[in-house]
Amino acid sequence: MSMEELFEPMKEPMIMGAAVSIVVGAITIVAGLTYFKKWGYFYKNWLTTVDHKKIGVMYIIVALVMLFRGGIDALLMRAQTAVPENNLLNAQHYNEIFTTHGLVMILFMAMPFIIGLMNVVVPLQIGARDVAFPRLNALSFWLFAAGAGLLNVSFIIGGSPDAGWTAYFPLAGIEFSPNVGNNYYAWALQLSGLGTLMTGINFITTIMKMRAPGLKLMKMPMFTWSALITNVIITFAFPVLTVALALMTLDRQFGTKFFAMSDGGMDMLWANLFWVWGHPEVYIVILPAFGIFSEVISTFSRKNLFGYKSMVMSMIVISLLSFMVWAHHFYTMGHGVMVNSIFSVSTMLIAVPTGVKIFNWLLTMRHGKIQFTTPMLYALAFIPIFTIGGVTGVMLAMASADYQYHNTMFLVAHFHYVLIPGTVFGVLAGYHFWWPKIFGFRLNEKLGKAAFWCIAIGFNVAFFPLFILGLDGYARRMFTYSASTGYGTLNMISFLGALGMAVGFALICYNIYYSFRHSPRDENGDPWDARSLEWATHSPVPEYNFAVVPEVNQLDEYWYAKKEGRDITAGEYERIHMPNNSGAPMWMAGVLFLFSFFFVFSVWTAVIVFGIATLGFMAFRSFEKDHGHYIEVAEIEATERQLRGDK
């Protein structure tokens, strides 16, 4: 590509403005770290950390940044369609925005938010001092960050992906998308997907092998159960994406014909591979949210979770069925009546275990002493809104009816009625719920509730009109429409709802600033009077998590210990072995970022150089002798006294 083609996207005023804002932001951060002489602290305590809590915080920070980026895309799409024959965006820019919106929100916002909360909470809930493979955990984060960076570079250098977030062939092939946008798609998802696969293996090992004494599987908190099942899905689903993206790269950059419509290729092969991964991916981001709602509803209802065993079994059944429904995404593509019927029935079956969970949450709240905190409001709003998404999902599951709904805004509305209450409400509930565990103080409740109402009301105003538009024939991905269609009024209402949601997310950001400055610091590690083990330690949590690993004899052990006046963390201190920090994961991910960037543009000399450098990092780690370090008893005692406020 010529330099002119390389920076072609910069001719768009909005993209130029975004690029300038990124540069200004980066310069501000660098200048701030330099002025306050924080480079050493930042590198030592964050960039090289292997502490699961700090890695979780970094995941959440990136997720919030990506939420902002994906939210801007959403507002631009709603603004473009708010009035007929609008010229705010041209067709190409609109294609790029709805493609990157889907990718950013699902893979670079929902996934890191979920994984960030897992990182912070799961080791604490099982009484572990870290994850099983701390260095691998750091590499997982930095690979994800490299993938996110690569995707965001695309809209400045070379051009964004523009074939939809599903990248269907032949549209995503070199014939119809000759620019490098879909090369970026393949490599950004490949990097982040490898990091996610490592996370899956890491957390399965952590949960299965590092639980506190006495903590049997059927005594684990529901969020830990949801994390275990989710990571099992990850280890089975993500290799399919890895292979599909590799084949995509071969087709686009080496002239193979796996997904071509000629020479023995099959474009539907991509659709099958994508959704064999893609539908379990929906449950990868929803099941942990189900676990969060279980923790929140139980805590703020002051009751045990109703139907614990049935909740576990329902998640297992959902995880199995999630691999058996992928073809419902293309009923209209000629499978035939028998195949469509099988996938229709299997899709409807998922409503059964999901309904079990809904009723269990409702029965948990029955006769409970409900506290209407910000996390509880998100959990309460989730139930009716998600039910609408589930009911419309059953409508879409009917293969014959889907011929009417398919590729209309009805499908878009359904998708958002499932994912926003089922994932975004979940992570926001968990974010508010566990914030004091991470930082030692609560977010402001008034601002939190104001943000909730803006988001909940704005969401319904934004997306319910899309059901009506879809039934009236308004196709998805249309960047404009004529006034004679009559779509203008409902589209304008939808845009106003999106603005309401934007106000809510802005309040969430302001709440962080306000609470850091004004919220009182909690004097104990349990501000919610919660039930599970993570609340038994201090807030913020020390490096070693627990000075004495607690022993667990029943579900909600910490809750019963409080009521009985027992201290489950009491005992004699012993020195604690902890892993050493390492900069290798960050630098290796940086090298892989450059490897992928040059691969996108087929600069083979640079690809070889950075490929060899990656192998060098792997070889170095294979022969490195790093035995970690010990925290001595005297240091533990001093830390505990400080955290307790003893003089």
Side-chain angles (χ1 to χ4, degrees):
M1 297 180 71
S2 66
M3 291 299 292
E4 184 178 353
E5 291 174 317
L6 199 62
F7 292 99
E8 178 74 21
M10 301 285 279
K11 294 178 181 178
E12 283 274 352
M14 282 188 287
I15 292 177
M16 173 62 79
V20 170
S21 67
I22 290 171
V23 172
V24 170
I27 291 172
T28 302
I29 292 170
V30 170
L33 290 171
T34 304
Y35 179 78
F36 292 106
K37 299 179 180 178
K38 291 292 184 180
W39 277 110
Y41 167 83
F42 189 54
Y43 184 81
K44 181 180 178 182
N45 289 281
W46 290 95
L47 299 183
T48 63
T49 187
V50 296
D51 185 335
H52 70 95
K53 301 176 290 296
K54 291 182 178 179
I55 290 172
V57 170
M58 291 193 293
Y59 267 116
I60 293 169
I61 290 171
V62 176
L64 289 171
V65 172
M66 291 296 101
L67 178 63
F68 176 79
R69 161 73 205 278
I72 294 295
D73 286 347
L75 283 174
L76 286 172
M77 284 190 289
R78 291 291 88 213
Q80 166 62 24
T81 56
V83 294
E85 300 175 13
N86 197 357
N87 293 316
L88 177 66
L89 304 174
N90 60 36
Q92 177 61 25
H93 198 178
Y94 188 84
N95 286 348
E96 292 177 0
I97 283 176
F98 79 65
T99 299
T100 54
H101 170 73
L103 290 175
V104 164
M105 286 305 207
I106 294 173
L107 290 165
F108 297 104
M109 187 285 289
M111 284 289 291
F113 220 138
I114 288 291
I115 293 173
L117 291 173
M118 281 185 196
N119 263 282
V120 171
V121 176
V122 168
L124 297 174
Q125 286 197 333
I126 65 173
R129 293 220 159 93
D130 209 310
V131 295
F133 309 113
R135 184 85 69 91
L136 190 68
N137 197 28
L139 181 60
S140 298
F141 167 74
W142 287 112
L143 283 176
F144 153 74
L150 194 65
L151 182 67
N152 282 281
V153 164
S154 69
F155 80 99
I156 298 173
I157 303 174
S160 291
D162 58 2
W165 84 276
T166 57
Y168 278 173
F169 280 78
L171 184 60
I174 197 71
E175 299 86 358
F176 294 97
S177 298
N179 65 1
V180 296
N182 288 299
N183 296 354
Y184 272 116
Y185 176 103
W187 281 103
L189 269 63
Q190 193 72 276
L191 284 182
S192 61
L194 289 172
T196 303
L197 183 57
M198 293 175 187
T199 296
I201 296 167
N202 205 346
F203 274 89
I204 291 172
T205 309
T206 300
I207 295 169
M208 297 304 294
K209 305 299 288 186
M210 297 183 68
R211 300 191 303 276
L215 183 55
K216 305 298 184 184
L217 285 174
M218 294 307 291
K219 297 176 184 175
M220 294 193 310
M222 197 53 60
F223 181 64
T224 298
W225 258 114
S226 70
L228 175 61
I229 294 168
T230 296
N231 283 290
V232 170
I233 298 175
I234 285 172
T235 56
F236 279 95
F238 265 80
V240 179
L241 178 67
T242 300
V243 171
L245 293 171
L247 298 180
M248 180 185 199
T249 298
L250 289 172
D251 267 19
R252 287 189 52 83
Q253 296 190 254
F254 295 96
T256 58
K257 301 286 185 178
F258 292 105
F259 307 126
M261 297 183 70
S262 60
D263 299 324
M266 184 186 297
D267 57 326
M268 277 298 296
L269 176 61
W270 170 265
N272 279 275
L273 289 174
F274 182 89
W275 286 113
V276 166
W277 161 80
H279 203 85
E281 165 65 17
V282 172
Y283 292 96
I284 287 169
V285 296
I286 285 181
L287 285 178
F290 287 175
I292 293 169
F293 291 131
S294 297
E295 303 288 341
V296 168
I297 290 172
S298 177
T299 296
F300 296 114
S301 298
R302 299 287 172 245
K303 285 181 64 183
N304 292 339
L305 185 66
F306 183 89
Y308 176 90
K309 291 182 180 179
S310 64
M311 292 289 265
V312 172
M313 288 306 301
S314 64
M315 284 195 292
I316 293 172
V317 172
I318 288 171
S319 69
L320 294 173
L321 289 173
S322 72
F323 285 93
M324 301 168 62
V325 298
W326 78 90
H328 71 208
H329 291 276
F330 33 87
Y331 283 142
T332 61
M333 296 186 185
H335 280 306
V337 174
M338 178 60 72
V339 172
N340 280 356
S341 298
I342 291 170
F343 282 97
S344 179
V345 171
S346 63
T347 302
M348 292 181 193
L349 282 175
I350 292 186
V352 177
T354 306
V356 168
K357 301 182 79 63
I358 296 287
F359 282 110
N360 281 355
W361 288 318
L362 292 172
L363 289 167
T364 300
M365 289 185 280
R366 183 172 180 263
H367 299 316
K369 297 178 181 179
I370 297 175
Q371 293 178 302
F372 294 98
T373 60
T374 302
M376 189 63 168
L377 288 177
Y378 281 108
L380 291 171
F382 150 78
I383 293 174
I385 298 174
F386 184 81
T387 301
I388 295 172
V391 169
T392 54
V394 173
M395 294 171 64
L396 287 158
M398 295 183 287
S400 55
D402 188 65
Y403 276 76
Q404 172 67 29
Y405 308 136
H406 190 73
N407 271 348
T408 68
M409 295 304 279
F410 185 93
L411 175 61
V412 174
H414 154 73
F415 192 68
H416 286 82
Y417 262 82
V418 169
L419 279 184
I420 290 183
T423 299
V424 178
F425 282 22
V427 295
L428 291 178
Y431 160 84
H432 285 85
F433 183 57
W434 283 304
W435 179 278
K437 176 51 53 183
I438 303 169
F439 295 107
F441 63 92
R442 280 180 278 189
L443 291 168
N444 182 272
E445 278 288 289
K446 288 185 178 179
L447 286 172
K449 290 175 180 178
F452 161 77
W453 286 111
C454 288
I455 292 170
I457 295 171
F459 167 77
N460 285 285
V461 173
F463 289 100
F464 198 84
L466 302 188
F467 283 124
I468 302 169
L469 286 168
L471 292 176
D472 201 26
Y474 183 28
R476 65 193 297 197
R477 306 188 183 96
M478 286 172 50
F479 89 104
T480 191
Y481 55 91
S482 66
S484 61
T485 59
Y487 298 151
T489 301
L490 288 175
N491 270 311
M492 176 56 75
I493 292 171
S494 178
F495 174 58
L496 294 175
L499 289 177
M501 292 182 71
V503 171
F505 288 118
L507 284 172
I508 287 175
C509 294
Y510 176 69
N511 198 357
I512 297 173
Y513 165 78
Y514 180 88
S515 300
F516 260 113
R517 294 201 59 181
H518 302 293
S519 286
R521 271 43 184 172
D522 294 311
E523 295 181 359
N524 63 73
D526 183 21
W528 306 119
D529 190 20
R531 311 181 71 86
S532 46
L533 206 57
E534 73 269 27
W535 302 101
T537 187
H538 305 286
S539 298
V541 185
E543 177 190 359
Y544 47 78
N545 293 349
F546 298 91
V548 176
V549 175
E551 186 169 337
V552 178
N553 297 305
Q554 58 190 321
L555 180 65
D556 292 340
E557 175 74 28
Y558 176 57
W559 172 264
Y560 290 108
K562 286 190 296 184
K563 302 312 170 189
E564 296 165 9
R566 293 185 287 114
D567 183 0
I568 62 174
T569 62
E572 186 176 343
Y573 297 153
E574 297 178 358
R575 67 176 188 162
I576 299 171
H577 181 263
M578 296 298 293
N580 288 329
N581 285 356
S582 173
M586 180 189 68
W587 294 115
M588 182 175 176
V591 167
L592 279 168
F593 172 87
L594 294 171
F595 170 86
S596 303
F597 178 80
F598 287 111
F599 211 122
V600 164
F601 293 97
S602 303
V603 183
W604 302 120
T605 302
V607 167
I608 292 168
V609 169
F610 289 111
I612 292 171
T614 301
L615 294 175
F617 273 104
M618 296 168 69
F620 174 78
R621 178 56 180 156
S622 297
F623 294 100
E624 183 184 9
K625 294 181 179 180
D626 182 355
H627 301 296
H629 67 280
Y630 283 94
I631 302 175
E632 300 297 337
V633 172
E635 185 179 348
I636 297 169
E637 290 174 342
T639 302
E640 291 295 305
R641 283 196 301 270
Q642 179 185 357
L643 291 170
R644 286 195 303 265
D646 298 344
K647 295 183 180 179

